[in-house]
Amino acid sequence: MKPEEKRQKRTLRHRRVRSRVTGTPEKPRLAVFRSHSHIYAQVIDDTASRTLLSLSDLGLPKKDFKGKKKTEIAAVVGRSLGEQIKKRGIAAVQFDRGGFKYHGRVKALAEGLREAGVKL
């Protein structure tokens, strides 16, 4: 499959997910983006069109990632983001996987959030 076809299919999946998932102040949307080498997550209130929190593996200390695989790094990002979400007083979020399949790094990030005590 050509890279352009993959991108188009992901865009279609993302549109389908976004038609059903919206964030509110009580239960904001957690949007995930996965690039080839990094993972990014944002907590968004769609009613106010505002990003409440954002975190990626680029924003965390490199010593936490020494000798770890990308999936393990995604879990660390999930736990860190979960702790920040709990500090803000948010108990639950709506998970927006961004058109990516729910496995690998996306799944690891979600499990890290659950370990931190955030309900998805």
Side-chain angles (χ1 to χ4, degrees):
M1 188 179 307
K2 294 180 182 177
E4 184 60 32
E5 290 177 30
K6 280 186 172 183
R7 200 172 306 120
Q8 288 174 347
K9 285 187 173 190
R10 187 187 83 80
T11 303
L12 288 173
R13 283 192 305 266
H14 185 58
R15 284 185 190 157
R16 194 168 50 238
V17 169
R18 282 290 292 126
S19 68
R20 298 181 187 111
V21 177
T22 57
T24 62
E26 299 82 31
K27 192 173 182 181
R29 175 171 59 99
L30 176 80
V32 176
F33 179 75
R34 176 183 60 87
S35 72
H36 287 291
S37 42
H38 300 289
I39 191 153
Y40 306 86
Q42 291 182 330
V43 179
I44 304 166
D45 175 11
D46 288 319
T47 56
S49 299
R50 200 167 156 226
T51 300
L52 305 174
L53 284 171
S54 67
L55 189 69
S56 71
D57 56 346
L58 296 170
L60 296 175
K62 298 292 182 208
K63 64 180 172 119
D64 295 344
F65 306 142
K66 196 77 168 175
K68 290 189 179 181
K69 296 180 181 177
K70 289 189 267 187
T71 308
E72 296 165 339
I73 292 171
V76 171
V77 170
R79 282 191 294 273
S80 298
L81 184 63
E83 291 167 3
Q84 290 182 13
I85 289 171
K86 294 298 275 186
K87 285 180 187 175
R88 289 270 179 118
I90 300 170
V93 294
Q94 292 215 355
F95 193 71
D96 175 9
R97 59 189 171 89
F100 299 104
K101 294 179 182 177
Y102 185 79
H103 72 98
R105 289 190 277 161
V106 175
K107 183 178 179 181
L109 188 130
E111 289 173 353
L113 282 164
R114 286 189 189 106
E115 286 176 19
V118 177
K119 186 177 177 186
L120 300 181

